[in-house]
Amino acid sequence: RSGNTWSFLLGTTFSQGSVLDAFVDPAHPTATRSNATFQDPKAGSAQIAATATDLGGGKFRYVYAVMNHDVDAKLGSFSLPIDALVTLEDLRFSDGDSDTTNDWTVSTGSGQATWTAPASSAQLDWGTALTISFVANAPPVPSAAQLSRGDDGSVFSINAIVAGPRP
């Protein structure tokens, strides 16, 4: 500050876009980092950014950030294809609050892992995000994640490279 003038030195440039674009740059995906957006003119848009970190010993830490940009119907579940031989451990969920009663629960079977909101009040509203993380005994491969609408349960896929263990 100098007199009545304030100045700020910023170490990085600003860019427009989702906060998930800062987590994984959509312009520079790799085999272990992806960022994809589903856009429907009638339903709205949602985004998934994912990373996979090699922990050694054949294990990988997966982190998925899911954001509902403007799907008014909210999002009720998130699914990934998971082979029956893949083991998930150290599962973590964060929706930005400390209320564990509204945390999404995971179920596995039929070749997928699905995280589901326990009630409509816990569904992912527009303008909000959540994070899901786990350790798996499989390396990342191209995959498609699925999100379901909170109102009618219809499912849409984000058909892009999404880090995730699968057969």
Side-chain angles (χ1 to χ4, degrees), residues 64-150:
Y64 295 89
V66 180
M67 183 165 192
N68 178 354
H69 290 285
D70 57 4
V71 177
D72 192 39
K74 299 184 180 180
L75 300 175
S77 71
F78 169 70
S79 298
L80 294 169
I82 302 287
D83 185 76
L85 299 176
V86 173
T87 302
L88 302 183
E89 55 189 49
D90 194 21
L91 284 83
R92 300 176 187 176
F93 173 87
S94 176
D95 57 3
D97 64 32
S98 59
D99 181 2
T100 59
T101 64
N102 69 2
D103 287 356
W104 290 25
T105 56
V106 65
S107 61
T108 57
S110 302
Q112 68 180 11
T114 300
W115 286 262
T116 306
S120 61
S121 61
Q123 292 175 346
L124 192 61
D125 206 352
W126 64 272
T128 60
L130 58 79
T131 304
I132 291 170
S133 176
F134 56 85
V135 173
N137 62 342
V141 295
S143 186
Q146 293 184 329
L147 295 168
S148 74
R149 289 173 51 112

Side-chain angles (χ1 to χ4, degrees), residues 33-76:
R33 300 178 68 77
S34 66
N35 186 330
T37 301
F38 169 85
Q39 294 181 330
D40 181 318
K42 294 178 182 176
S45 66
Q47 182 178 13
I48 298 172
T51 64
T53 303
D54 190 342
L55 302 176
K59 294 191 176 188
F60 294 80
R61 161 70 61 192
Y62 291 88
V63 178
Y64 295 89
V66 180
M67 183 165 192
N68 178 354
H69 290 285
D70 57 4
V71 177
D72 192 39
K74 299 184 180 180
L75 300 175

